[in-house]
Amino acid sequence: MVQTKTKLTFADFLQKYPDGSGIYELVNGEIVKVESIRADKNVARFLVCGFNDEISRLELDYIVDKDIVIRTVKASGQEQGRNPDVGVVKASVWNSNVRGYGALTEPIQLAVEVTSTNWEDDYVDKLDEYQRLGIREYWIVDYLAIASRAYLGNPKVPTVFVYSLENDRYVVQSFRDNQRIISPTFSELEITVEQIVLSSQIQTL
């Protein structure tokens, strides 16, 4: 008799989440550890600082965090648990349950994924899941130009893709070199792709 492994639900995932030992996601019913190189973390930290500066300067109703777990659903209906490299959520939503953990079931305002060797997850799976959930803005930060030429063109260069939700579907803009990244959430943000690439190499306090 062949035994099949029971796939975890999102509720199971939160209950079994291995606290204090890294970052995890629920992928295809299994708990998967997510590990990032230091350069990826530098990029995420740079964006967190940039977003926080805009929130403070313009007194925006947002919270930025690197440990927001969100419930998404695949086309099949299977629940996933995703942890974007950077998440931006309305402060009113975050503060509605300050004694709760970082997990959310409603769509956040902005999710950022810093692309690494498993780049197809960001370009295909998470793109579909975030659109399905209704996350209003989604960044794919491919600062290493690691995806295929089908996405990056030829020659491949570091690119940031910004997906904006319009009529429940994502519309994408791509940014390269010294282009200022246009964000619907942070309309006055002054960050370029070149700055992001540089941030991967330099740790800031």
Side-chain angles (χ1 to χ4, degrees):
M1 180 178 176
V2 177
Q3 291 185 334
T4 57
K5 189 173 182 180
T6 302
K7 293 185 181 297
L8 300 178
T9 65
F10 185 69
D12 296 333
F13 169 60
L14 296 181
Q15 185 177 18
K16 297 175 181 291
Y17 196 97
D19 289 331
S21 59
I23 302 297
Y24 295 83
E25 291 189 337
L26 176 66
V27 183
N28 298 325
E30 297 184 3
I31 297 176
V32 177
K33 189 170 186 178
V34 179
E35 297 186 87
S36 299
I37 62 173
R38 293 177 188 176
D40 294 351
K41 292 181 178 181
N42 284 350
V43 169
R45 189 177 295 108
F46 173 75
L47 292 174
V48 167
C49 291
F51 294 164
N52 268 325
D53 286 347
E54 287 298 281
I55 290 169
S56 298
R57 186 176 69 86
L58 299 174
E59 299 182 349
L60 301 175
D61 180 45
Y62 293 123
I63 296 289
V64 183
D65 199 270
K66 293 198 279 106
D67 296 311
I68 298 176
V69 177
I70 54 177
R71 174 188 174 274
T72 64
V73 179
K74 297 174 62 176
S76 64
Q78 185 176 49
E79 293 181 311
Q80 304 271 78
R82 297 300 192 178
N83 188 162
D85 291 304
V86 181
V88 179
V89 61
K90 281 190 172 293
S92 54
V93 172
W94 182 267
N95 293 327
S96 64
N97 182 18
V98 293
R99 293 186 179 275
Y101 293 98
L104 296 171
T105 56
E106 58 265 63
I108 63 176
Q109 175 67 25
L110 168 60
V112 176
E113 297 291 354
V114 180
T115 300
S116 55
T117 52
N118 59 339
W119 59 268
E120 288 178 303
D121 288 348
D122 300 335
Y123 281 87
V124 181
D125 298 336
K126 292 182 181 180
L127 176 66
D128 177 69
E129 292 169 33
Y130 291 170
Q131 177 180 261
R132 194 176 300 279
L133 179 60
I135 293 177
R136 299 205 60 80
E137 185 176 347
Y138 173 40
W139 288 26
I140 297 177
V141 179
D142 199 340
Y143 75 97
L144 291 173
I146 204 168
S148 71
R149 288 185 175 86
Y151 293 97
L152 297 175
N154 189 14
K156 298 199 297 183
V157 296
T159 306
V160 173
F161 296 93
V162 175
Y163 293 83
S164 305
L165 201 64
E166 295 184 11
N167 299 318
D168 299 325
R169 303 292 297 178
Y170 276 142
V171 176
V172 63
Q173 284 186 285
S174 59
F175 302 91
R176 299 175 176 85
D177 303 319
N178 64 352
Q179 291 179 314
R180 183 175 76 88
I181 299 168
I182 306 300
S183 165
T185 300
F186 301 107
S187 59
E188 299 181 25
L189 187 69
E190 292 285 344
I191 288 179
T192 67
V193 178
E194 283 183 346
Q195 289 174 318
I196 288 176
V197 173
L198 181 61
S199 75
S200 71
Q201 305 163 20
I202 299 176
Q203 169 67 64
T204 57
L205 298 177

mmCIF file of all heavy atoms in Angstrom, residues 137-172:
data_model
loop_
_atom_site.group_PDB
_atom_site.id
_atom_site.type_symbol
_atom_site.label_atom_id
_atom_site.label_comp_id
_atom_site.label_asym_id
_atom_site.label_seq_id
_atom_site.Cartn_x
_atom_site.Cartn_y
_atom_site.Cartn_z
ATOM 1 N N GLU A 137 0.247 45.969 -5.739
ATOM 2 C CA GLU A 137 1.519 46.257 -6.408
ATOM 3 C C GLU A 137 2.524 45.161 -6.075
ATOM 4 O O GLU A 137 2.632 44.746 -4.920
ATOM 5 C CB GLU A 137 2.045 47.622 -5.979
ATOM 6 C CG GLU A 137 3.291 48.087 -6.702
ATOM 7 C CD GLU A 137 3.708 49.508 -6.300
ATOM 8 O OE1 GLU A 137 2.900 50.216 -5.654
ATOM 9 O OE2 GLU A 137 4.840 49.890 -6.631
ATOM 10 N N TYR A 138 3.250 44.708 -7.093
ATOM 11 C CA TYR A 138 4.209 43.624 -6.922
ATOM 12 C C TYR A 138 5.486 43.951 -7.677
ATOM 13 O O TYR A 138 5.452 44.228 -8.872
ATOM 14 C CB TYR A 138 3.600 42.316 -7.431
ATOM 15 C CG TYR A 138 4.545 41.135 -7.475
ATOM 16 C CD1 TYR A 138 5.464 40.900 -6.464
ATOM 17 C CD2 TYR A 138 4.499 40.229 -8.539
ATOM 18 C CE1 TYR A 138 6.323 39.813 -6.510
ATOM 19 C CE2 TYR A 138 5.350 39.130 -8.596
ATOM 20 C CZ TYR A 138 6.258 38.934 -7.569
ATOM 21 O OH TYR A 138 7.116 37.857 -7.616
ATOM 22 N N TRP A 139 6.624 43.953 -6.949
ATOM 23 C CA TRP A 139 7.925 44.194 -7.564
ATOM 24 C C TRP A 139 8.696 42.880 -7.680
ATOM 25 O O TRP A 139 8.789 42.117 -6.707
ATOM 26 C CB TRP A 139 8.775 45.128 -6.715
ATOM 27 C CG TRP A 139 8.361 46.566 -6.675
ATOM 28 C CD1 TRP A 139 7.119 47.088 -6.878
ATOM 29 C CD2 TRP A 139 9.214 47.667 -6.360
ATOM 30 N NE1 TRP A 139 7.140 48.446 -6.717
ATOM 31 C CE2 TRP A 139 8.411 48.831 -6.402
ATOM 32 C CE3 TRP A 139 10.561 47.785 -6.054
ATOM 33 C CZ2 TRP A 139 8.932 50.102 -6.135
ATOM 34 C CZ3 TRP A 139 11.083 49.047 -5.785
ATOM 35 C CH2 TRP A 139 10.265 50.192 -5.835
ATOM 36 N N ILE A 140 9.262 42.640 -8.860
ATOM 37 C CA ILE A 140 10.280 41.607 -9.024
ATOM 38 C C ILE A 140 11.606 42.333 -9.232
ATOM 39 O O ILE A 140 11.793 43.021 -10.232
ATOM 40 C CB ILE A 140 9.982 40.684 -10.215
ATOM 41 C CG1 ILE A 140 8.663 39.924 -10.003
ATOM 42 C CG2 ILE A 140 11.135 39.691 -10.414
ATOM 43 C CD1 ILE A 140 8.279 39.043 -11.181
ATOM 44 N N VAL A 141 12.497 42.190 -8.268
ATOM 45 C CA VAL A 141 13.775 42.896 -8.302
ATOM 46 C C VAL A 141 14.853 41.914 -8.761
ATOM 47 O O VAL A 141 15.411 41.152 -7.972
ATOM 48 C CB VAL A 141 14.118 43.486 -6.919
ATOM 49 C CG1 VAL A 141 15.464 44.211 -6.961
ATOM 50 C CG2 VAL A 141 13.015 44.438 -6.461
ATOM 51 N N ASP A 142 15.125 41.918 -10.045
ATOM 52 C CA ASP A 142 16.103 41.002 -10.633
ATOM 53 C C ASP A 142 17.425 41.747 -10.818
ATOM 54 O O ASP A 142 17.874 42.006 -11.940
ATOM 55 C CB ASP A 142 15.574 40.456 -11.962
ATOM 56 C CG ASP A 142 16.293 39.182 -12.394
ATOM 57 O OD1 ASP A 142 17.409 38.953 -11.897
ATOM 58 O OD2 ASP A 142 15.741 38.439 -13.220
ATOM 59 N N TYR A 143 18.065 42.055 -9.700
ATOM 60 C CA TYR A 143 19.276 42.877 -9.734
ATOM 61 C C TYR A 143 20.483 42.106 -10.264
ATOM 62 O O TYR A 143 21.488 42.713 -10.661
ATOM 63 C CB TYR A 143 19.570 43.444 -8.333
ATOM 64 C CG TYR A 143 20.125 42.441 -7.360
ATOM 65 C CD1 TYR A 143 21.503 42.339 -7.127
ATOM 66 C CD2 TYR A 143 19.283 41.568 -6.672
ATOM 67 C CE1 TYR A 143 22.015 41.419 -6.237
ATOM 68 C CE2 TYR A 143 19.775 40.646 -5.788
ATOM 69 C CZ TYR A 143 21.136 40.573 -5.571
ATOM 70 O OH TYR A 143 21.639 39.648 -4.692
ATOM 71 N N LEU A 144 20.394 40.779 -10.297
ATOM 72 C CA LEU A 144 21.478 39.957 -10.838
ATOM 73 C C LEU A 144 21.246 39.583 -12.303
ATOM 74 O O LEU A 144 22.070 38.891 -12.898
ATOM 75 C CB LEU A 144 21.623 38.671 -10.009
ATOM 76 C CG LEU A 144 22.153 38.842 -8.578
ATOM 77 C CD1 LEU A 144 22.071 37.518 -7.837
ATOM 78 C CD2 LEU A 144 23.584 39.359 -8.588
ATOM 79 N N ALA A 145 20.109 40.016 -12.861
ATOM 80 C CA ALA A 145 19.727 39.640 -14.233
ATOM 81 C C ALA A 145 19.801 38.130 -14.394
ATOM 82 O O ALA A 145 20.415 37.592 -15.323
ATOM 83 C CB ALA A 145 20.615 40.344 -15.255
ATOM 84 N N ILE A 146 19.127 37.430 -13.483
ATOM 85 C CA ILE A 146 19.263 35.978 -13.399
ATOM 86 C C ILE A 146 18.192 35.221 -14.168
ATOM 87 O O ILE A 146 18.354 34.041 -14.475
ATOM 88 C CB ILE A 146 19.274 35.556 -11.907
ATOM 89 C CG1 ILE A 146 19.970 34.211 -11.733
ATOM 90 C CG2 ILE A 146 17.864 35.541 -11.324
ATOM 91 C CD1 ILE A 146 20.265 33.876 -10.290
ATOM 92 N N ALA A 147 17.080 35.873 -14.493
ATOM 93 C CA ALA A 147 16.000 35.209 -15.219
ATOM 94 C C ALA A 147 16.406 34.975 -16.674
ATOM 95 O O ALA A 147 17.455 35.423 -17.137
ATOM 96 C CB ALA A 147 14.724 36.027 -15.149
ATOM 97 N N SER A 148 15.560 34.285 -17.416
ATOM 98 C CA SER A 148 15.872 33.982 -18.811
ATOM 99 C C SER A 148 15.715 35.213 -19.699
ATOM 100 O O SER A 148 15.112 36.214 -19.315
ATOM 101 C CB SER A 148 14.946 32.866 -19.314
ATOM 102 O OG SER A 148 13.625 33.359 -19.468
ATOM 103 N N ARG A 149 16.234 35.108 -20.918
ATOM 104 C CA ARG A 149 16.143 36.210 -21.879
ATOM 105 C C ARG A 149 14.695 36.480 -22.289
ATOM 106 O O ARG A 149 14.379 37.566 -22.765
ATOM 107 C CB ARG A 149 16.997 35.904 -23.107
ATOM 108 C CG ARG A 149 18.492 35.981 -22.841
ATOM 109 C CD ARG A 149 19.312 35.788 -24.109
ATOM 110 N NE ARG A 149 20.728 35.994 -23.851
ATOM 111 C CZ ARG A 149 21.561 35.051 -23.412
ATOM 112 N NH1 ARG A 149 21.089 33.836 -23.189
ATOM 113 N NH2 ARG A 149 22.842 35.320 -23.202
ATOM 114 N N ALA A 150 13.827 35.502 -22.103
ATOM 115 C CA ALA A 150 12.412 35.702 -22.418
ATOM 116 C C ALA A 150 11.823 36.831 -21.572
ATOM 117 O O ALA A 150 10.906 37.535 -22.009
ATOM 118 C CB ALA A 150 11.630 34.410 -22.185
ATOM 119 N N TYR A 151 12.382 37.032 -20.386
ATOM 120 C CA TYR A 151 11.924 38.097 -19.501
ATOM 121 C C TYR A 151 12.814 39.336 -19.581
ATOM 122 O O TYR A 151 12.319 40.467 -19.550
ATOM 123 C CB TYR A 151 11.892 37.602 -18.045
ATOM 124 C CG TYR A 151 10.863 36.542 -17.787
ATOM 125 C CD1 TYR A 151 11.217 35.190 -17.791
ATOM 126 C CD2 TYR A 151 9.533 36.867 -17.545
ATOM 127 C CE1 TYR A 151 10.268 34.200 -17.550
ATOM 128 C CE2 TYR A 151 8.580 35.890 -17.307
ATOM 129 C CZ TYR A 151 8.955 34.556 -17.313
ATOM 130 O OH TYR A 151 8.020 33.575 -17.085
ATOM 131 N N LEU A 152 14.116 39.121 -19.682
ATOM 132 C CA LEU A 152 15.067 40.231 -19.560
ATOM 133 C C LEU A 152 15.564 40.763 -20.898
ATOM 134 O O LEU A 152 16.158 41.838 -20.949
ATOM 135 C CB LEU A 152 16.271 39.790 -18.720
ATOM 136 C CG LEU A 152 15.964 39.413 -17.273
ATOM 137 C CD1 LEU A 152 17.220 38.889 -16.598
ATOM 138 C CD2 LEU A 152 15.392 40.590 -16.500
ATOM 139 N N GLY A 153 15.318 40.033 -21.973
ATOM 140 C CA GLY A 153 15.839 40.469 -23.265
ATOM 141 C C GLY A 153 17.286 40.062 -23.442
ATOM 142 O O GLY A 153 17.872 39.363 -22.619
ATOM 143 N N ASN A 154 17.878 40.523 -24.533
ATOM 144 C CA ASN A 154 19.260 40.185 -24.860
ATOM 145 C C ASN A 154 19.998 41.446 -25.305
ATOM 146 O O ASN A 154 19.589 42.078 -26.283
ATOM 147 C CB ASN A 154 19.283 39.132 -25.969
ATOM 148 C CG ASN A 154 20.670 38.570 -26.219
ATOM 149 O OD1 ASN A 154 21.573 38.762 -25.403
ATOM 150 N ND2 ASN A 154 20.839 37.893 -27.344
ATOM 151 N N PRO A 155 21.052 41.876 -24.591
ATOM 152 C CA PRO A 155 21.665 41.196 -23.451
ATOM 153 C C PRO A 155 20.833 41.347 -22.169
ATOM 154 O O PRO A 155 20.040 42.277 -22.050
ATOM 155 C CB PRO A 155 23.016 41.905 -23.313
ATOM 156 C CG PRO A 155 22.737 43.294 -23.800
ATOM 157 C CD PRO A 155 21.750 43.132 -24.937
ATOM 158 N N LYS A 156 21.060 40.435 -21.246
ATOM 159 C CA LYS A 156 20.358 40.500 -19.977
ATOM 160 C C LYS A 156 20.992 41.574 -19.091
ATOM 161 O O LYS A 156 22.212 41.615 -18.944
ATOM 162 C CB LYS A 156 20.401 39.151 -19.265
ATOM 163 C CG LYS A 156 19.725 38.025 -20.037
ATOM 164 C CD LYS A 156 19.364 36.849 -19.146
ATOM 165 C CE LYS A 156 20.572 36.205 -18.536
ATOM 166 N NZ LYS A 156 20.204 35.014 -17.720
ATOM 167 N N VAL A 157 20.163 42.434 -18.518
ATOM 168 C CA VAL A 157 20.653 43.479 -17.615
ATOM 169 C C VAL A 157 19.761 43.505 -16.377
ATOM 170 O O VAL A 157 18.594 43.083 -16.430
ATOM 171 C CB VAL A 157 20.652 44.871 -18.295
ATOM 172 C CG1 VAL A 157 21.619 44.911 -19.457
ATOM 173 C CG2 VAL A 157 19.256 45.259 -18.739
ATOM 174 N N PRO A 158 20.286 43.997 -15.255
ATOM 175 C CA PRO A 158 19.459 44.100 -14.051
ATOM 176 C C PRO A 158 18.178 44.890 -14.334
ATOM 177 O O PRO A 158 18.222 45.953 -14.947
ATOM 178 C CB PRO A 158 20.372 44.840 -13.070
ATOM 179 C CG PRO A 158 21.763 44.487 -13.511
ATOM 180 C CD PRO A 158 21.682 44.422 -15.012
ATOM 181 N N THR A 159 17.069 44.359 -13.865
ATOM 182 C CA THR A 159 15.764 44.939 -14.168
ATOM 183 C C THR A 159 14.856 44.835 -12.953
ATOM 184 O O THR A 159 14.894 43.844 -12.218
ATOM 185 C CB THR A 159 15.097 44.202 -15.355
ATOM 186 O OG1 THR A 159 15.993 44.204 -16.467
ATOM 187 C CG2 THR A 159 13.794 44.873 -15.756
ATOM 188 N N VAL A 160 14.037 45.856 -12.759
ATOM 189 C CA VAL A 160 12.974 45.811 -11.763
ATOM 190 C C VAL A 160 11.644 45.881 -12.506
ATOM 191 O O VAL A 160 11.408 46.815 -13.279
ATOM 192 C CB VAL A 160 13.077 46.959 -10.747
ATOM 193 C CG1 VAL A 160 11.850 46.980 -9.828
ATOM 194 C CG2 VAL A 160 14.356 46.826 -9.915
ATOM 195 N N PHE A 161 10.809 44.881 -12.286
ATOM 196 C CA PHE A 161 9.477 44.850 -12.880
ATOM 197 C C PHE A 161 8.460 45.271 -11.825
ATOM 198 O O PHE A 161 8.453 44.714 -10.719
ATOM 199 C CB PHE A 161 9.136 43.447 -13.384
ATOM 200 C CG PHE A 161 10.018 42.960 -14.494
ATOM 201 C CD1 PHE A 161 11.147 42.204 -14.219
ATOM 202 C CD2 PHE A 161 9.717 43.257 -15.816
ATOM 203 C CE1 PHE A 161 11.973 41.747 -15.246
ATOM 204 C CE2 PHE A 161 10.534 42.810 -16.854
ATOM 205 C CZ PHE A 161 11.665 42.058 -16.564
ATOM 206 N N VAL A 162 7.623 46.236 -12.162
ATOM 207 C CA VAL A 162 6.573 46.694 -11.253
ATOM 208 C C VAL A 162 5.225 46.332 -11.856
ATOM 209 O O VAL A 162 4.858 46.820 -12.926
ATOM 210 C CB VAL A 162 6.662 48.212 -10.999
ATOM 211 C CG1 VAL A 162 5.484 48.680 -10.140
ATOM 212 C CG2 VAL A 162 7.986 48.564 -10.325
ATOM 213 N N TYR A 163 4.507 45.459 -11.171
ATOM 214 C CA TYR A 163 3.180 45.023 -11.597
ATOM 215 C C TYR A 163 2.124 45.775 -10.788
ATOM 216 O O TYR A 163 2.161 45.749 -9.554
ATOM 217 C CB TYR A 163 3.012 43.523 -11.379
ATOM 218 C CG TYR A 163 3.884 42.661 -12.259
ATOM 219 C CD1 TYR A 163 5.203 42.392 -11.908
ATOM 220 C CD2 TYR A 163 3.392 42.114 -13.446
ATOM 221 C CE1 TYR A 163 6.015 41.601 -12.710
ATOM 222 C CE2 TYR A 163 4.203 41.328 -14.257
ATOM 223 C CZ TYR A 163 5.500 41.074 -13.878
ATOM 224 O OH TYR A 163 6.299 40.294 -14.678
ATOM 225 N N SER A 164 1.202 46.424 -11.479
ATOM 226 C CA SER A 164 0.133 47.178 -10.834
ATOM 227 C C SER A 164 -1.204 46.544 -11.188
ATOM 228 O O SER A 164 -1.456 46.208 -12.351
ATOM 229 C CB SER A 164 0.144 48.642 -11.294
ATOM 230 O OG SER A 164 1.409 49.225 -11.081
ATOM 231 N N LEU A 165 -2.063 46.399 -10.194
ATOM 232 C CA LEU A 165 -3.346 45.746 -10.403
ATOM 233 C C LEU A 165 -4.344 46.723 -11.021
ATOM 234 O O LEU A 165 -4.626 47.775 -10.459
ATOM 235 C CB LEU A 165 -3.878 45.228 -9.067
ATOM 236 C CG LEU A 165 -4.916 44.109 -9.114
ATOM 237 C CD1 LEU A 165 -4.320 42.847 -9.726
ATOM 238 C CD2 LEU A 165 -5.440 43.818 -7.707
ATOM 239 N N GLU A 166 -4.863 46.349 -12.182
ATOM 240 C CA GLU A 166 -5.897 47.131 -12.858
ATOM 241 C C GLU A 166 -6.985 46.176 -13.338
ATOM 242 O O GLU A 166 -6.716 45.276 -14.130
ATOM 243 C CB GLU A 166 -5.317 47.903 -14.050
ATOM 244 C CG GLU A 166 -4.298 48.974 -13.662
ATOM 245 C CD GLU A 166 -3.805 49.779 -14.846
ATOM 246 O OE1 GLU A 166 -4.406 49.645 -15.940
ATOM 247 O OE2 GLU A 166 -2.814 50.517 -14.683
ATOM 248 N N ASN A 167 -8.199 46.385 -12.829
ATOM 249 C CA ASN A 167 -9.324 45.499 -13.171
ATOM 250 C C ASN A 167 -8.980 44.039 -12.901
ATOM 251 O O ASN A 167 -9.246 43.145 -13.721
ATOM 252 C CB ASN A 167 -9.729 45.687 -14.639
ATOM 253 C CG ASN A 167 -10.196 47.104 -14.929
ATOM 254 O OD1 ASN A 167 -10.930 47.708 -14.146
ATOM 255 N ND2 ASN A 167 -9.759 47.660 -16.062
ATOM 256 N N ASP A 168 -8.365 43.814 -11.736
ATOM 257 C CA ASP A 168 -8.030 42.469 -11.252
ATOM 258 C C ASP A 168 -6.948 41.772 -12.059
ATOM 259 O O ASP A 168 -6.726 40.561 -11.893
ATOM 260 C CB ASP A 168 -9.279 41.575 -11.213
ATOM 261 C CG ASP A 168 -10.349 42.105 -10.273
ATOM 262 O OD1 ASP A 168 -9.984 42.672 -9.229
ATOM 263 O OD2 ASP A 168 -11.545 41.970 -10.595
ATOM 264 N N ARG A 169 -6.255 42.498 -12.929
ATOM 265 C CA ARG A 169 -5.149 41.930 -13.703
ATOM 266 C C ARG A 169 -3.926 42.830 -13.564
ATOM 267 O O ARG A 169 -4.052 44.053 -13.467
ATOM 268 C CB ARG A 169 -5.520 41.808 -15.193
ATOM 269 C CG ARG A 169 -6.762 40.979 -15.481
ATOM 270 C CD ARG A 169 -6.564 39.513 -15.181
ATOM 271 N NE ARG A 169 -5.541 38.896 -16.008
ATOM 272 C CZ ARG A 169 -5.172 37.618 -15.896
ATOM 273 N NH1 ARG A 169 -5.724 36.842 -14.985
ATOM 274 N NH2 ARG A 169 -4.238 37.122 -16.696
ATOM 275 N N TYR A 170 -2.749 42.219 -13.592
ATOM 276 C CA TYR A 170 -1.522 42.994 -13.467
ATOM 277 C C TYR A 170 -1.113 43.622 -14.806
ATOM 278 O O TYR A 170 -1.143 42.971 -15.850
ATOM 279 C CB TYR A 170 -0.377 42.121 -12.972
ATOM 280 C CG TYR A 170 -0.307 41.959 -11.469
ATOM 281 C CD1 TYR A 170 0.057 40.749 -10.896
ATOM 282 C CD2 TYR A 170 -0.585 43.031 -10.626
ATOM 283 C CE1 TYR A 170 0.142 40.598 -9.524
ATOM 284 C CE2 TYR A 170 -0.507 42.893 -9.248
ATOM 285 C CZ TYR A 170 -0.145 41.674 -8.695
ATOM 286 O OH TYR A 170 -0.073 41.536 -7.337
ATOM 287 N N VAL A 171 -0.722 44.881 -14.711
ATOM 288 C CA VAL A 171 -0.098 45.596 -15.815
ATOM 289 C C VAL A 171 1.346 45.866 -15.396
ATOM 290 O O VAL A 171 1.596 46.323 -14.283
ATOM 291 C CB VAL A 171 -0.836 46.917 -16.121
ATOM 292 C CG1 VAL A 171 -0.110 47.690 -17.211
ATOM 293 C CG2 VAL A 171 -2.274 46.637 -16.534
ATOM 294 N N VAL A 172 2.305 45.586 -16.268
ATOM 295 C CA VAL A 172 3.702 45.628 -15.865
ATOM 296 C C VAL A 172 4.464 46.759 -16.548
ATOM 297 O O VAL A 172 4.222 47.082 -17.713
ATOM 298 C CB VAL A 172 4.394 44.272 -16.152
ATOM 299 C CG1 VAL A 172 4.409 43.964 -17.641
ATOM 300 C CG2 VAL A 172 5.799 44.240 -15.576
#
